[in-house]
């Protein structure tokens, strides 16, 4: 065989061998086992055709939030259900227990916050001295007159914070006064009648402060 033919065959053999190796390498790379997250497998297996597990998970998801959900349930031990003889039942109980535990914690936190808010209100309350009662009776009369005359600026900037009124309380007062059609008629006919109404309100208030000072319970001890 000529040397040139031998070289040609050798080159072809080397190239062919390289191709085979490359193909084997690719097959090897493509044939790698891809690790699947055990939590993903557990969720898929237990939620498949099981609406109870799915519903329980969605309830918990609403409390925890989508971004933190997987890390939360891992931390709380959901993967312990992998070794359970009945994974679906285990996961269902896990979701329900976590849901009610969190719901209880949220409700407890809300109660504590409400109690703290009430305590702060109590601390801010003032003593019902004659001077304080007289002042708030006068301011109550002015407040009522402002509502009748629709003095929005004073209502919002002065009286609402002065009387520590929420939006709901203020809306209730406005609704009550709005229904007093007769007084509105008198004011429309003679605006000076509003001064007489203030005087009457002040007299009644001084006689019975608890019944006439607006939002009395949140102002005085």
């Amino acid at each position: 065989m000529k040397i040139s033919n031998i070289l040609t065959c050798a080159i072809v053999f080397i190239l062919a061998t390289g191709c085979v190796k490359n193909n084997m390498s690719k097959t090897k790379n493509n044939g790698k086992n891809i690790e699947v997250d055990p939590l993903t497998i557990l969720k898929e297996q237990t939620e498949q055709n099981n609406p109870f597990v799915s519903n329980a998970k969605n309830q918990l998801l609403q409390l925890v939030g989508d971004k933190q959900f997987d890390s939360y349930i891992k931390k709380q031990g959901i993967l312990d259900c992998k070794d359970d003889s009945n994974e679906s039942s285990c996961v269902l109980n896990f979701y329900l227990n976590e849901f009610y535990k969190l719901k209880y914690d949220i409700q407890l936190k809300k109660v504590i916050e409400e109690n703290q808010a009430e305590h702060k209100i109590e601390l801010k309350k003032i003593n019902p001295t004659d001077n304080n009662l007289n002042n708030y009776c006068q301011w109550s009369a002015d407040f009522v007159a402002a509502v009748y005359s629709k003095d929005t600026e004073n209502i919002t900037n002065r009286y609402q914070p002065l009387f520590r009124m929420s939006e709901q309380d203020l809306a209730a007062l406005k609704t009550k006064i709005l229904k007093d059609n007769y007084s509105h008629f008198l004011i429309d006919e003679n605006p000076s009648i509003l001064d007489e109404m203030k005087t009457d309100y002040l007299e009644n208030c001084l006689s019975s402060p608890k019944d006439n000072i607006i939002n009395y319970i949140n102002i005085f001890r």
Side-chain angles (χ1 to χ4, degrees):
M1 183 180 289
K2 293 182 178 180
I3 294 176
S4 59
N5 290 338
I6 294 173
L7 290 174
T8 301
C9 290
I11 292 170
V12 170
F13 176 77
I14 292 170
L15 291 174
T17 304
C19 289
V20 171
K21 285 183 178 179
N22 286 337
N23 288 335
M24 288 177 65
S25 176
K26 288 179 181 178
T27 303
K28 187 177 181 181
N29 289 337
N30 292 335
K32 279 186 177 179
N33 292 328
I34 300 173
E35 291 187 9
V36 181
D37 179 24
L39 177 59
T40 302
I41 296 175
L42 182 63
K43 287 197 292 185
E44 288 178 353
Q45 289 177 342
T46 55
E47 291 175 36
Q48 188 175 17
N49 300 323
N50 195 328
F52 298 105
V53 175
S54 298
N55 291 339
K57 185 195 78 172
N58 290 333
Q59 280 185 323
L60 181 60
L61 184 63
Q62 289 178 355
L63 293 182
V64 177
D66 189 51
K67 290 183 179 180
Q68 306 295 329
F69 187 71
D70 283 357
S71 59
Y72 175 83
I73 58 178
K74 277 184 179 180
K75 185 178 179 180
Q76 299 305 315
I78 192 173
L79 291 178
D80 293 342
C81 289
K82 285 196 308 175
D83 302 323
D84 194 273
S85 58
N86 190 337
E87 287 184 348
S88 294
S89 178
C90 179
V91 170
L92 176 61
N93 288 331
F94 172 85
Y95 284 144
L96 291 175
N97 288 336
E98 289 300 318
F99 171 75
Y100 287 113
K101 183 178 74 174
L102 276 181
K103 191 174 182 181
Y104 173 79
D105 290 343
I106 291 171
Q107 290 174 338
L108 181 62
K109 182 180 178 182
K110 184 178 179 181
V111 170
I112 292 173
E113 289 175 349
E114 288 175 351
N115 288 338
Q116 289 175 338
E118 289 177 3
H119 182 62
K120 287 180 180 179
I121 291 174
E122 287 296 323
L123 291 176
K124 290 181 180 179
K125 288 183 179 181
I126 61 178
N127 292 320
T129 62
D130 289 341
N131 187 52
N132 286 335
L133 292 173
N134 289 340
N135 285 336
Y136 269 92
C137 276
Q138 180 63 63
W139 294 332
S140 292
D142 294 337
F143 190 3
V144 170
V147 177
Y148 272 109
S149 61
K150 298 179 182 178
D151 186 356
T152 305
E153 184 176 350
N154 270 324
I155 291 171
T156 304
N157 297 330
R158 173 172 167 74
Y159 296 118
Q160 186 176 1
L162 179 63
F163 285 87
R164 304 169 189 175
M165 295 188 76
S166 65
E167 291 295 333
Q168 185 177 358
D169 292 334
L170 181 59
L173 177 63
K174 287 181 176 180
T175 301
K176 181 180 178 181
I177 290 177
L178 184 64
K179 291 180 179 179
D180 185 7
N181 294 324
Y182 181 67
S183 294
H184 282 290
F185 170 76
L186 293 177
I187 294 169
D188 290 340
E189 292 295 315
N190 182 11
S192 64
I193 199 74
L194 194 58
D195 292 329
E196 295 180 24
M197 291 172 61
K198 284 172 60 176
T199 301
D200 291 341
Y201 193 98
L202 178 59
E203 290 178 358
N204 291 331
C205 185
L206 293 174
S207 299
S208 181
K210 283 187 177 182
D211 296 327
N212 290 281
I213 290 178
I214 297 172
N215 209 25
Y216 181 97
I217 193 172
N218 288 327
I219 297 172
F220 294 99
R221 290 191 175 94

